[in-house]
Amino acid sequence: MSAPAVASLTCPQCGAAIELRTLDQALSVVCGSCGSILDARDPNLHVLQEFKARQKFEPQIPLGTRGTLKGEKWEAVGYQVRGIVVDGTTYCWDEYLLFNPYKGFRYLTQYDGHWNDVQVIKAAPDEHTSGGRPYILLHGETFKHFQTATAETYFVLGEFPWQVRVGDTAVTRDFVAPPRMLSEERTPEETTWSLGTYMPAAQIWSAFGLPGKPPHARGVYANQPDAYMPLAGSMAKRYLLFVAVIIALILLRLVTASRETVFATNSAFFRPGAPADSLAFVTPSFTVSGRTANLEVTTEAQVDNGWAYFEYALVNETTGTTYEFGREVSYYYGRDSDGNWSEGSRRDRAVLPSVPAGQYFLRVLPEAEVPTSFLEYRIVVRRDVPTLTPYLFCLALLALPPILVALRAWGMESARWKESDYAPSSDDDDDE
Amino acid sequence: MKHPIYTTFGALLIALLVVAELRGWTPMRPTEVKNIPRSIRDNPGAYRPHYRTFFGSGHYMRGK
Protein backbone atom coordinates (compact mmCIF):
# COMPACT_ATOMS: atom_id res chain seq x y z
CA MET A 1 0.00 0.00 0.00
CA SER A 2 1.45 3.35 -0.98
CA ALA A 3 1.40 6.47 1.18
CA PRO A 4 -2.06 7.01 2.62
CA ALA A 5 -4.36 9.22 0.63
CA VAL A 6 -6.14 11.39 3.15
CA ALA A 7 -8.73 14.08 2.55
CA SER A 8 -8.91 16.81 5.17
CA LEU A 9 -12.34 18.13 6.08
CA THR A 10 -13.79 20.29 8.82
CA CYS A 11 -16.46 19.21 11.27
CA PRO A 12 -19.51 21.44 10.80
CA GLN A 13 -20.44 20.85 14.44
CA CYS A 14 -17.22 21.85 16.24
CA GLY A 15 -14.89 22.99 13.49
CA ALA A 16 -12.28 20.34 14.23
CA ALA A 17 -10.27 18.89 11.35
CA ILE A 18 -11.38 15.47 10.12
CA GLU A 19 -9.26 13.12 8.06
CA LEU A 20 -11.02 10.90 5.55
CA ARG A 21 -8.86 7.82 4.85
CA THR A 22 -11.22 5.69 2.81
CA LEU A 23 -12.23 8.65 0.59
CA ASP A 24 -15.17 7.73 -1.60
CA GLN A 25 -15.74 4.44 0.22
CA ALA A 26 -16.89 6.16 3.39
CA LEU A 27 -20.59 6.70 3.99
CA SER A 28 -20.20 8.13 7.46
CA VAL A 29 -17.37 9.66 9.42
CA VAL A 30 -17.16 10.46 13.11
CA CYS A 31 -15.58 13.64 14.35
CA GLY A 32 -12.85 12.64 16.75
CA SER A 33 -13.32 15.88 18.68
CA CYS A 34 -17.07 16.21 19.30
CA GLY A 35 -18.17 12.68 18.38
CA SER A 36 -20.75 13.81 15.85
CA ILE A 37 -21.49 11.32 13.10
CA LEU A 38 -21.34 13.02 9.71
CA ASP A 39 -22.53 12.05 6.25
CA ALA A 40 -19.28 11.50 4.35
CA ARG A 41 -21.06 11.66 0.98
CA ASP A 42 -22.38 15.13 1.65
CA PRO A 43 -19.91 17.87 0.61
CA ASN A 44 -21.11 19.86 3.63
CA LEU A 45 -20.72 16.89 5.99
CA HIS A 46 -24.31 16.90 7.10
CA VAL A 47 -24.64 15.82 10.74
CA LEU A 48 -26.30 12.41 10.88
CA GLN A 49 -26.18 12.11 14.65
CA GLU A 50 -24.82 14.29 17.39
CA PHE A 51 -22.67 12.68 20.04
CA LYS A 52 -24.94 10.29 21.91
CA ALA A 53 -22.57 7.80 23.48
CA ARG A 54 -22.73 7.65 27.28
CA GLN A 55 -19.05 6.90 27.54
CA LYS A 56 -15.94 7.57 25.47
CA PHE A 57 -13.75 4.63 24.61
CA GLU A 58 -10.12 4.63 23.54
CA PRO A 59 -9.21 2.15 20.81
CA GLN A 60 -6.25 -0.12 21.54
CA ILE A 61 -5.24 0.25 17.88
CA PRO A 62 -5.22 4.01 17.27
CA LEU A 63 -7.04 4.97 14.08
CA GLY A 64 -4.64 5.62 11.24
CA THR A 65 -2.27 2.88 12.45
CA ARG A 66 -1.08 0.75 9.58
CA GLY A 67 0.05 -2.82 9.89
CA THR A 68 0.72 -6.02 7.97
CA LEU A 69 -1.81 -8.70 8.62
CA LYS A 70 -1.35 -12.07 6.95
CA GLY A 71 1.02 -10.53 4.41
CA GLU A 72 -1.22 -7.59 3.47
CA LYS A 73 -1.09 -3.97 4.60
CA TRP A 74 -4.13 -2.65 6.41
CA GLU A 75 -4.99 0.63 8.03
CA ALA A 76 -7.29 1.01 11.03
CA VAL A 77 -9.97 3.48 9.90
CA GLY A 78 -12.98 2.79 12.11
CA TYR A 79 -13.69 1.72 15.64
CA GLN A 80 -16.91 0.85 17.35
CA VAL A 81 -17.89 -0.59 20.69
CA ARG A 82 -20.83 -2.90 20.60
CA GLY A 83 -22.46 -5.03 23.22
CA ILE A 84 -25.21 -7.40 24.17
CA VAL A 85 -27.21 -7.65 27.35
CA VAL A 86 -27.61 -11.13 28.84
CA ASP A 87 -29.47 -11.61 32.11
CA GLY A 88 -29.12 -7.93 32.86
CA THR A 89 -25.35 -7.89 32.30
CA THR A 90 -23.83 -5.96 29.40
CA TYR A 91 -21.01 -7.65 27.53
CA CYS A 92 -19.07 -5.25 25.28
CA TRP A 93 -16.57 -5.89 22.55
CA ASP A 94 -14.48 -3.72 20.20
CA GLU A 95 -14.67 -3.80 16.44
CA TYR A 96 -11.92 -2.28 14.32
CA LEU A 97 -12.54 -1.55 10.68
CA LEU A 98 -9.42 -2.08 8.56
CA PHE A 99 -9.02 -0.71 5.06
CA ASN A 100 -6.81 -1.53 2.11
CA PRO A 101 -7.61 0.37 -1.14
CA TYR A 102 -7.02 -2.79 -3.19
CA LYS A 103 -8.54 -5.37 -0.85
CA GLY A 104 -11.42 -3.43 0.67
CA PHE A 105 -12.44 -3.84 4.30
CA ARG A 106 -11.93 -6.38 7.03
CA TYR A 107 -12.50 -6.31 10.76
CA LEU A 108 -10.72 -7.11 13.94
CA THR A 109 -12.81 -7.83 17.00
CA GLN A 110 -11.64 -7.88 20.59
CA TYR A 111 -13.39 -9.22 23.67
CA ASP A 112 -11.63 -9.68 27.02
CA GLY A 113 -8.27 -9.91 25.25
CA HIS A 114 -9.49 -12.41 22.63
CA TRP A 115 -9.02 -11.23 19.04
CA ASN A 116 -10.65 -12.30 15.81
CA ASP A 117 -9.81 -11.48 12.22
CA VAL A 118 -13.18 -11.13 10.48
CA GLN A 119 -14.15 -10.92 6.83
CA VAL A 120 -17.58 -10.56 5.34
CA ILE A 121 -18.65 -13.51 3.19
CA LYS A 122 -20.80 -12.87 0.18
CA ALA A 123 -23.07 -15.90 0.06
CA ALA A 124 -25.36 -16.92 2.90
CA PRO A 125 -24.35 -20.41 4.06
CA ASP A 126 -26.81 -23.29 4.27
CA GLU A 127 -28.27 -23.78 7.68
CA HIS A 128 -29.33 -27.15 9.08
CA THR A 129 -30.82 -28.35 12.32
CA SER A 130 -29.93 -31.34 14.44
CA GLY A 131 -31.90 -32.13 17.58
CA GLY A 132 -33.46 -28.68 17.48
CA ARG A 133 -30.03 -27.06 17.41
CA PRO A 134 -28.98 -25.13 14.29
CA TYR A 135 -25.66 -25.74 12.62
CA ILE A 136 -23.98 -24.64 9.42
CA LEU A 137 -21.80 -26.56 7.02
CA LEU A 138 -19.21 -24.35 5.36
CA HIS A 139 -16.08 -25.44 3.50
CA GLY A 140 -16.43 -28.92 5.00
CA GLU A 141 -16.57 -27.60 8.56
CA THR A 142 -19.53 -27.86 10.92
CA PHE A 143 -20.28 -24.65 12.77
CA LYS A 144 -22.40 -25.24 15.85
CA HIS A 145 -24.79 -22.57 16.98
CA PHE A 146 -23.35 -20.77 19.98
CA GLN A 147 -25.45 -17.76 20.80
CA THR A 148 -28.22 -15.53 19.53
CA ALA A 149 -28.45 -11.99 20.89
CA THR A 150 -29.31 -8.43 20.01
CA ALA A 151 -26.19 -6.33 19.63
CA GLU A 152 -26.26 -2.60 20.13
CA THR A 153 -23.70 -0.03 19.04
CA TYR A 154 -22.51 2.00 22.03
CA PHE A 155 -19.67 4.06 20.60
CA VAL A 156 -18.21 4.88 17.18
CA LEU A 157 -15.07 6.56 15.95
CA GLY A 158 -13.50 6.99 12.49
CA GLU A 159 -15.18 6.27 9.22
CA PHE A 160 -17.44 3.53 7.95
CA PRO A 161 -18.74 2.31 4.59
CA TRP A 162 -22.28 2.39 5.98
CA GLN A 163 -24.32 4.98 7.82
CA VAL A 164 -23.38 4.09 11.35
CA ARG A 165 -25.34 5.32 14.38
CA VAL A 166 -24.90 4.93 18.11
CA GLY A 167 -27.89 2.90 19.22
CA ASP A 168 -27.99 0.81 16.04
CA THR A 169 -29.18 -2.71 16.82
CA ALA A 170 -28.87 -6.00 14.96
CA VAL A 171 -29.80 -9.55 15.81
CA THR A 172 -26.62 -11.56 15.84
CA ARG A 173 -26.21 -15.31 15.68
CA ASP A 174 -22.82 -16.89 16.21
CA PHE A 175 -21.80 -20.36 15.06
CA VAL A 176 -18.47 -21.80 16.09
CA ALA A 177 -15.97 -24.29 14.74
CA PRO A 178 -12.78 -23.28 16.60
CA PRO A 179 -10.69 -21.45 15.57
CA ARG A 180 -13.39 -20.05 13.26
CA MET A 181 -16.65 -18.34 13.98
CA LEU A 182 -19.45 -17.63 11.56
CA SER A 183 -21.65 -14.69 12.48
CA GLU A 184 -24.92 -13.50 11.08
CA GLU A 185 -26.09 -9.93 11.61
CA ARG A 186 -29.68 -9.24 10.77
CA THR A 187 -31.36 -5.85 10.58
CA PRO A 188 -34.73 -5.07 8.99
CA GLU A 189 -32.82 -3.87 5.91
CA GLU A 190 -30.20 -6.57 5.38
CA THR A 191 -28.52 -9.75 6.57
CA THR A 192 -24.76 -10.10 6.47
CA TRP A 193 -22.56 -13.08 7.22
CA SER A 194 -18.95 -12.88 8.31
CA LEU A 195 -16.26 -15.42 9.03
CA GLY A 196 -13.90 -14.79 11.91
CA THR A 197 -10.66 -16.54 12.73
CA TYR A 198 -9.21 -16.46 16.23
CA MET A 199 -5.88 -14.63 16.42
CA PRO A 200 -3.39 -14.46 19.27
CA ALA A 201 -3.23 -10.92 20.65
CA ALA A 202 0.57 -10.94 20.33
CA GLN A 203 0.13 -11.31 16.56
CA ILE A 204 -2.06 -8.19 16.46
CA TRP A 205 0.46 -6.26 18.53
CA SER A 206 3.26 -7.33 16.24
CA ALA A 207 1.26 -6.66 13.06
CA PHE A 208 0.45 -3.07 14.04
CA GLY A 209 3.63 -2.37 15.98
CA LEU A 210 1.66 -1.55 19.11
CA PRO A 211 3.69 -0.60 22.18
CA GLY A 212 4.00 -2.84 25.22
CA LYS A 213 2.39 -6.20 25.62
CA PRO A 214 -1.25 -7.06 24.92
CA PRO A 215 -3.50 -7.54 27.96
CA HIS A 216 -3.91 -11.16 28.99
CA ALA A 217 -6.99 -12.85 27.58
CA ARG A 218 -9.56 -13.75 30.22
CA GLY A 219 -11.68 -16.87 30.19
CA VAL A 220 -12.30 -19.07 27.15
CA TYR A 221 -13.69 -17.40 24.04
CA ALA A 222 -16.36 -18.93 21.82
CA ASN A 223 -13.98 -19.88 18.99
CA GLN A 224 -10.74 -20.02 20.93
CA PRO A 225 -8.85 -23.06 19.62
CA ASP A 226 -8.50 -25.86 22.13
CA ALA A 227 -4.88 -26.92 22.15
CA TYR A 228 -5.62 -29.76 24.56
CA MET A 229 -8.22 -31.67 22.56
CA PRO A 230 -5.94 -32.63 19.62
CA LEU A 231 -3.14 -33.23 22.12
CA ALA A 232 -5.33 -35.59 24.12
CA GLY A 233 -6.26 -37.41 20.90
CA SER A 234 -2.71 -37.92 19.72
CA MET A 235 -1.56 -38.86 23.23
CA ALA A 236 -4.31 -41.46 23.36
CA LYS A 237 -2.96 -42.90 20.11
CA ARG A 238 0.53 -43.02 21.61
CA TYR A 239 -0.94 -44.70 24.70
CA LEU A 240 -2.49 -47.39 22.49
CA LEU A 241 0.99 -47.99 21.07
CA PHE A 242 2.32 -48.44 24.61
CA VAL A 243 -0.57 -50.80 25.38
CA ALA A 244 0.38 -52.88 22.33
CA VAL A 245 4.02 -53.04 23.49
CA ILE A 246 2.97 -54.06 27.00
CA ILE A 247 0.59 -56.73 25.69
CA ALA A 248 3.49 -58.07 23.60
CA LEU A 249 5.69 -58.10 26.73
CA ILE A 250 2.97 -59.94 28.69
CA LEU A 251 2.71 -62.57 25.96
CA LEU A 252 6.49 -62.89 25.84
CA ARG A 253 6.59 -63.27 29.61
CA LEU A 254 3.84 -65.90 29.56
CA VAL A 255 5.86 -67.88 27.04
CA THR A 256 9.28 -67.50 28.65
CA ALA A 257 8.41 -67.75 32.39
CA SER A 258 9.85 -71.05 33.67
CA ARG A 259 7.19 -71.61 36.42
CA GLU A 260 9.54 -74.23 37.85
CA THR A 261 8.16 -76.04 40.90
CA VAL A 262 10.99 -76.12 43.42
CA PHE A 263 9.05 -77.53 46.36
CA ALA A 264 5.62 -78.98 47.14
CA THR A 265 4.20 -80.61 50.22
CA ASN A 266 0.88 -81.79 51.56
CA SER A 267 0.26 -81.51 55.26
CA ALA A 268 -2.54 -81.42 57.80
CA PHE A 269 -3.52 -79.40 60.80
CA PHE A 270 -5.11 -81.64 63.40
CA ARG A 271 -4.18 -80.46 66.90
CA PRO A 272 -6.45 -77.50 67.55
CA GLY A 273 -5.94 -77.70 71.31
CA ALA A 274 -2.15 -77.76 71.19
CA PRO A 275 0.04 -74.70 71.94
CA ALA A 276 0.54 -72.70 68.76
CA ASP A 277 4.35 -72.92 68.78
CA SER A 278 4.30 -76.71 68.87
CA LEU A 279 2.64 -76.79 65.43
CA ALA A 280 5.61 -75.07 63.74
CA PHE A 281 7.71 -77.22 61.45
CA VAL A 282 10.40 -76.86 58.82
CA THR A 283 10.31 -78.38 55.36
CA PRO A 284 13.08 -80.38 53.75
CA SER A 285 15.70 -78.33 51.97
CA PHE A 286 15.05 -77.42 48.33
CA THR A 287 17.11 -75.81 45.60
CA VAL A 288 16.26 -72.57 43.86
CA SER A 289 18.41 -72.37 40.74
CA GLY A 290 18.85 -69.99 37.83
CA ARG A 291 18.93 -66.20 37.82
CA THR A 292 17.43 -64.08 40.58
CA ALA A 293 13.68 -64.24 40.04
CA ASN A 294 10.42 -64.04 41.91
CA LEU A 295 9.21 -66.97 44.02
CA GLU A 296 5.56 -67.89 44.34
CA VAL A 297 4.26 -69.60 47.47
CA THR A 298 0.81 -71.07 46.98
CA THR A 299 -1.18 -72.18 49.98
CA GLU A 300 -4.28 -74.27 49.44
CA ALA A 301 -6.33 -75.23 52.52
CA GLN A 302 -9.65 -77.06 52.62
CA VAL A 303 -11.35 -74.53 54.88
CA ASP A 304 -15.15 -74.55 55.15
CA ASN A 305 -16.64 -71.51 56.83
CA GLY A 306 -13.36 -70.98 58.62
CA TRP A 307 -9.88 -69.64 58.28
CA ALA A 308 -6.31 -70.82 58.42
CA TYR A 309 -3.29 -68.63 58.88
CA PHE A 310 0.24 -69.57 57.91
CA GLU A 311 3.27 -67.86 59.31
CA TYR A 312 6.08 -68.43 56.84
CA ALA A 313 9.82 -67.93 56.95
CA LEU A 314 11.78 -68.77 53.80
CA VAL A 315 15.35 -69.37 54.97
CA ASN A 316 18.45 -69.37 52.79
CA GLU A 317 20.55 -72.11 54.33
CA THR A 318 23.85 -70.68 53.12
CA THR A 319 23.48 -66.99 53.93
CA GLY A 320 20.90 -67.13 56.72
CA THR A 321 18.80 -64.53 54.92
CA THR A 322 15.16 -65.05 55.76
CA TYR A 323 12.01 -63.75 54.09
CA GLU A 324 9.16 -63.64 56.59
CA PHE A 325 5.53 -63.33 55.68
CA GLY A 326 2.11 -64.45 56.79
CA ARG A 327 -0.76 -65.67 54.65
CA GLU A 328 -4.39 -66.18 55.40
CA VAL A 329 -6.73 -68.60 53.72
CA SER A 330 -10.39 -68.17 54.56
CA TYR A 331 -13.54 -69.27 52.88
CA TYR A 332 -17.10 -68.65 54.00
CA TYR A 333 -20.31 -69.41 52.22
CA GLY A 334 -24.01 -69.72 52.90
CA ARG A 335 -27.44 -68.65 51.82
CA ASP A 336 -29.62 -65.77 52.88
CA SER A 337 -32.55 -63.74 51.55
CA ASP A 338 -30.37 -62.54 48.64
CA GLY A 339 -29.50 -66.12 47.65
CA ASN A 340 -26.21 -67.98 47.83
CA TRP A 341 -23.14 -66.08 48.90
CA SER A 342 -19.47 -66.84 49.38
CA GLU A 343 -16.47 -64.90 50.57
CA GLY A 344 -12.73 -65.54 50.37
CA SER A 345 -10.97 -68.44 48.71
CA ARG A 346 -9.40 -71.76 49.63
CA ARG A 347 -6.30 -70.82 47.68
CA ASP A 348 -3.80 -68.06 48.36
CA ARG A 349 -0.85 -66.94 46.33
CA ALA A 350 2.09 -64.82 47.50
CA VAL A 351 4.87 -63.73 45.17
CA LEU A 352 8.20 -62.90 46.79
CA PRO A 353 10.39 -60.51 44.83
CA SER A 354 13.97 -61.13 43.66
CA VAL A 355 14.93 -64.36 45.39
CA PRO A 356 18.47 -65.35 44.43
CA ALA A 357 19.49 -68.91 43.64
CA GLY A 358 20.42 -71.04 46.66
CA GLN A 359 19.46 -73.77 49.08
CA TYR A 360 16.31 -72.95 51.04
CA PHE A 361 13.80 -74.38 53.48
CA LEU A 362 10.49 -73.08 54.80
CA ARG A 363 9.59 -72.69 58.45
CA VAL A 364 5.79 -72.92 58.68
CA LEU A 365 3.54 -72.19 61.64
CA PRO A 366 -0.10 -72.93 60.83
CA GLU A 367 -3.07 -71.69 62.84
CA ALA A 368 -6.69 -72.39 62.07
CA GLU A 369 -10.26 -71.94 63.17
CA VAL A 370 -12.29 -74.59 61.50
CA PRO A 371 -15.41 -76.51 62.55
CA THR A 372 -13.55 -79.83 62.41
CA SER A 373 -10.29 -80.66 64.15
CA PHE A 374 -8.62 -81.71 60.92
CA LEU A 375 -7.53 -79.47 58.07
CA GLU A 376 -5.61 -80.58 55.00
CA TYR A 377 -3.44 -78.07 53.20
CA ARG A 378 -0.90 -77.97 50.42
CA ILE A 379 2.09 -75.67 49.95
CA VAL A 380 3.71 -75.26 46.54
CA VAL A 381 6.79 -73.12 45.83
CA ARG A 382 7.54 -72.11 42.22
CA ARG A 383 10.14 -69.76 40.85
CA ASP A 384 9.94 -67.33 37.92
CA VAL A 385 6.18 -67.03 37.64
CA PRO A 386 4.47 -64.35 35.54
CA THR A 387 2.50 -61.71 37.44
CA LEU A 388 0.18 -59.15 35.87
CA THR A 389 0.51 -56.55 38.62
CA PRO A 390 3.60 -54.67 37.29
CA TYR A 391 2.08 -54.53 33.81
CA LEU A 392 -1.23 -53.18 35.09
CA PHE A 393 0.63 -50.67 37.26
CA CYS A 394 2.65 -49.58 34.21
CA LEU A 395 -0.51 -49.26 32.08
CA ALA A 396 -2.17 -47.16 34.77
CA LEU A 397 0.84 -44.85 35.06
CA LEU A 398 1.03 -44.46 31.27
CA ALA A 399 -2.68 -43.61 31.14
CA LEU A 400 -2.30 -40.72 33.57
CA PRO A 401 -0.85 -38.04 31.19
CA PRO A 402 -3.48 -38.52 28.43
CA ILE A 403 -6.23 -38.60 31.06
CA LEU A 404 -4.98 -35.35 32.60
CA VAL A 405 -4.78 -33.67 29.18
CA ALA A 406 -8.26 -34.95 28.27
CA LEU A 407 -9.62 -33.54 31.55
CA ARG A 408 -8.02 -30.20 30.72
CA ALA A 409 -9.61 -30.27 27.25
CA TRP A 410 -12.97 -31.17 28.76
CA GLY A 411 -12.61 -28.26 31.19
CA MET A 412 -11.90 -25.85 28.34
CA GLU A 413 -14.89 -27.06 26.30
CA SER A 414 -17.05 -26.83 29.38
CA ALA A 415 -15.91 -23.23 30.01
CA ARG A 416 -16.51 -22.35 26.34
CA TRP A 417 -20.10 -23.57 26.25
CA LYS A 418 -20.86 -22.10 29.65
CA GLU A 419 -21.02 -18.75 27.86
CA SER A 420 -23.36 -19.99 25.16
CA ASP A 421 -27.12 -20.39 24.82
CA TYR A 422 -26.58 -24.04 25.70
CA ALA A 423 -25.04 -23.62 29.14
CA PRO A 424 -26.77 -25.73 31.81
CA SER A 425 -27.55 -22.60 33.85
CA SER A 426 -29.24 -21.03 30.79
CA ASP A 427 -31.49 -24.08 30.53
CA ASP A 428 -32.41 -23.68 34.17
CA ASP A 429 -33.19 -20.04 33.60
CA ASP A 430 -35.36 -20.89 30.63
CA ASP A 431 -37.37 -23.27 32.76
CA GLU A 432 -38.13 -20.64 35.32
CA MET B 1 8.69 -36.91 17.25
CA LYS B 2 5.25 -36.19 18.71
CA HIS B 3 5.01 -35.82 22.48
CA PRO B 4 8.73 -36.27 23.21
CA ILE B 5 8.23 -36.02 26.98
CA TYR B 6 5.38 -38.52 27.08
CA THR B 7 7.17 -40.87 24.69
CA THR B 8 10.36 -40.72 26.77
CA PHE B 9 8.34 -41.25 29.95
CA GLY B 10 6.60 -44.27 28.40
CA ALA B 11 9.83 -45.73 27.03
CA LEU B 12 11.56 -45.39 30.42
CA LEU B 13 8.61 -46.93 32.22
CA ILE B 14 8.53 -49.90 29.84
CA ALA B 15 12.30 -50.32 30.18
CA LEU B 16 11.86 -50.30 33.96
CA LEU B 17 9.11 -52.88 33.59
CA VAL B 18 11.41 -55.16 31.58
CA VAL B 19 14.17 -54.83 34.19
CA ALA B 20 11.62 -55.45 36.96
CA GLU B 21 10.50 -58.61 35.26
CA LEU B 22 14.04 -59.82 34.64
CA ARG B 23 14.97 -59.20 38.27
CA GLY B 24 11.68 -60.58 39.60
CA TRP B 25 10.60 -57.35 41.28
CA THR B 26 7.07 -57.21 42.61
CA PRO B 27 5.28 -54.53 44.63
CA MET B 28 5.07 -56.97 47.59
CA ARG B 29 7.71 -56.72 50.26
CA PRO B 30 8.18 -59.49 52.84
CA THR B 31 10.28 -58.72 55.88
CA GLU B 32 13.85 -59.62 55.08
CA VAL B 33 16.03 -60.68 58.00
CA LYS B 34 19.77 -61.43 57.82
CA ASN B 35 21.67 -64.11 59.74
CA ILE B 36 18.90 -65.85 61.60
CA PRO B 37 20.11 -68.53 64.09
CA ARG B 38 20.68 -71.98 62.64
CA SER B 39 18.73 -73.43 65.55
CA ILE B 40 15.54 -72.61 63.67
CA ARG B 41 15.80 -76.00 61.96
CA ASP B 42 16.06 -77.88 65.25
CA ASN B 43 13.49 -75.85 67.13
CA PRO B 44 11.12 -74.17 64.68
CA GLY B 45 8.53 -73.41 67.38
CA ALA B 46 10.97 -71.18 69.25
CA TYR B 47 11.51 -68.87 66.27
CA ARG B 48 9.85 -65.48 66.57
CA PRO B 49 9.23 -63.67 63.30
CA HIS B 50 10.28 -60.04 62.91
CA TYR B 51 7.48 -59.04 60.57
CA ARG B 52 4.27 -57.45 61.71
CA THR B 53 2.09 -57.54 58.64
CA PHE B 54 2.40 -58.69 55.10
CA PHE B 55 -1.10 -59.45 53.97
CA GLY B 56 -3.48 -60.20 56.76
CA SER B 57 -2.19 -59.96 60.27
CA GLY B 58 -4.58 -61.80 62.44
CA HIS B 59 -7.56 -59.69 61.42
CA TYR B 60 -9.28 -62.57 59.85
CA MET B 61 -12.25 -62.27 57.59
CA ARG B 62 -15.60 -63.25 58.91
CA GLY B 63 -18.57 -64.62 57.03
CA LYS B 64 -21.17 -62.36 55.51
Side-chain angles (χ1 to χ4, degrees):
Chain A
M1 194 160 61
S2 57
V6 177
S8 290
L9 305 164
T10 305
C11 174
Q13 194 75 2
C14 68
I18 296 171
E19 289 182 340
L20 206 55
R21 296 181 175 89
T22 59
L23 303 177
D24 60 335
Q25 304 263 3
L27 284 186
S28 52
V29 61
V30 182
C31 172
S33 175
C34 68
S36 298
I37 300 172
L38 312 170
D39 185 349
R41 287 287 169 93
D42 182 0
N44 299 317
L45 293 176
H46 167 69
V47 177
L48 294 171
Q49 187 182 44
E50 290 181 11
F51 182 71
K52 271 184 72 176
R54 293 178 205 148
Q55 193 184 344
K56 245 192 152 178
F57 294 86
E58 201 60 45
Q60 288 175 292
I61 306 173
L63 298 190
T65 306
R66 306 176 99 207
T68 306
L69 206 60
K70 296 179 180 171
E72 291 166 352
K73 289 199 184 292
W74 296 90
E75 182 176 359
V77 295
Y79 168 71
Q80 57 178 342
V81 178
R82 304 176 76 196
I84 57 171
V85 179
V86 179
D87 295 335
T89 307
T90 305
Y91 299 91
C92 289
W93 68 92
D94 299 335
E95 284 186 13
Y96 295 87
L97 180 65
L98 306 182
F99 177 67
N100 175 308
Y102 306 106
K103 303 285 179 184
F105 294 95
R106 75 194 299 158
Y107 301 83
L108 286 177
T109 65
Q110 184 278 137
Y111 174 76
D112 264 356
H114 299 279
W115 290 80
N116 265 281
D117 172 29
V118 181
Q119 281 187 299
V120 172
I121 56 172
K122 286 170 186 165
D126 290 332
E127 189 173 327
H128 308 269
T129 306
S130 170
R133 188 168 171 175
Y135 70 94
I136 284 169
L137 285 174
L138 184 72
H139 307 318
E141 277 184 296
T142 304
F143 290 76
K144 293 180 189 168
H145 178 244
F146 190 81
Q147 192 174 53
T148 298
T150 301
E152 186 179 342
T153 304
Y154 294 131
F155 179 78
V156 288
L157 195 64
E159 54 203 89
F160 298 87
W162 71 91
Q163 291 212 333
V164 72
R165 300 276 198 289
V166 169
D168 277 352
T169 58
V171 176
T172 60
R173 289 197 305 154
D174 293 328
F175 296 80
V176 295
R180 276 173 277 284
M181 177 153 72
L182 202 52
S183 299
E184 180 201 47
E185 285 205 18
R186 207 169 54 240
T187 63
E189 294 79 34
E190 61 173 357
T191 299
T192 54
W193 285 89
S194 56
L195 183 64
T197 306
Y198 191 90
M199 282 188 82
Q203 211 172 319
I204 305 284
W205 251 243
S206 156
F208 288 91
L210 300 176
K213 284 185 176 177
H216 283 292
R218 286 190 298 170
V220 178
Y221 193 60
N223 66 330
Q224 185 175 347
D226 184 352
Y228 295 100
M229 191 62 87
L231 187 66
S234 59
M235 279 180 95
K237 282 182 192 159
R238 185 56 50 95
Y239 176 69
L240 289 179
L241 182 71
F242 287 140
V243 170
V245 171
I246 287 175
I247 288 173
L249 285 174
I250 291 172
L251 293 174
L252 186 70
R253 178 73 180 131
L254 288 174
V255 171
T256 56
S258 69
R259 300 182 184 82
E260 179 192 356
T261 301
V262 293
F263 177 74
T265 185
N266 292 311
S267 193
F269 176 89
F270 60 96
R271 291 162 60 193
D277 290 351
S278 67
L279 298 174
F281 66 93
V282 291
T283 67
S285 176
F286 55 86
T287 306
V288 173
S289 55
R291 62 178 169 79
T292 297
N294 63 25
L295 202 73
E296 177 197 66
V297 178
T298 307
T299 313
E300 204 169 331
Q302 298 307 311
V303 284
D304 262 339
N305 282 319
W307 58 262
Y309 186 75
F310 297 84
E311 194 179 281
Y312 284 111
L314 176 73
V315 184
N316 185 319
E317 285 187 321
T318 316
T319 62
T321 303
T322 303
Y323 305 92
E324 296 173 347
F325 56 101
R327 304 300 296 179
E328 178 190 314
V329 181
S330 66
Y331 184 63
Y332 295 89
Y333 60 90
R335 185 178 174 78
D336 61 13
S337 56
D338 297 334
N340 291 326
W341 61 268
S342 67
E343 190 176 292
S345 169
R346 291 190 174 106
R347 190 170 184 273
D348 173 76
R349 175 183 186 250
V351 182
L352 307 183
S354 305
V355 177
Q359 207 63 26
Y360 291 85
F361 66 86
L362 273 173
R363 181 259 188 190
V364 186
L365 173 59
E367 294 174 56
E369 185 183 271
V370 287
T372 60
S373 59
F374 182 76
L375 174 69
E376 278 186 300
Y377 60 88
R378 178 174 170 77
I379 301 167
V380 179
V381 182
R382 296 192 304 167
R383 70 167 286 278
D384 194 24
V385 292
T387 54
L388 267 184
T389 314
Y391 296 94
L392 296 178
F393 185 65
C394 192
L395 283 173
L397 272 182
L398 284 171
L400 276 180
I403 286 173
L404 289 176
V405 174
L407 282 175
R408 185 73 183 79
W410 178 83
M412 188 166 177
E413 278 308 297
S414 176
R416 181 198 310 283
W417 289 97
K418 220 168 97 180
E419 302 299 323
S420 76
D421 288 349
Y422 303 94
S425 57
S426 298
D427 293 343
D428 295 345
D429 295 344
D430 292 345
D431 293 338
E432 284 171 7
Chain B
M1 184 170 67
K2 259 189 173 182
H3 316 301
I5 295 173
Y6 180 53
T7 305
T8 308
F9 168 68
L12 284 175
L13 209 57
I14 288 174
L16 191 69
L17 179 70
V18 171
V19 173
E21 277 299 83
L22 286 174
R23 298 292 300 166
W25 295 345
T26 73
M28 305 169 193
R29 285 282 170 269
T31 305
E32 192 173 325
V33 185
K34 302 282 184 191
N35 303 317
I36 63 141
R38 290 184 182 278
S39 61
I40 184 174
R41 189 174 260 299
D42 304 321
N43 191 3
Y47 180 75
R48 293 286 173 267
H50 300 74
Y51 80 92
R52 291 310 309 153
T53 57
F54 181 32
F55 291 98
S57 55
H59 292 93
Y60 306 114
M61 281 191 280
R62 294 282 174 257
K64 186 177 176 184

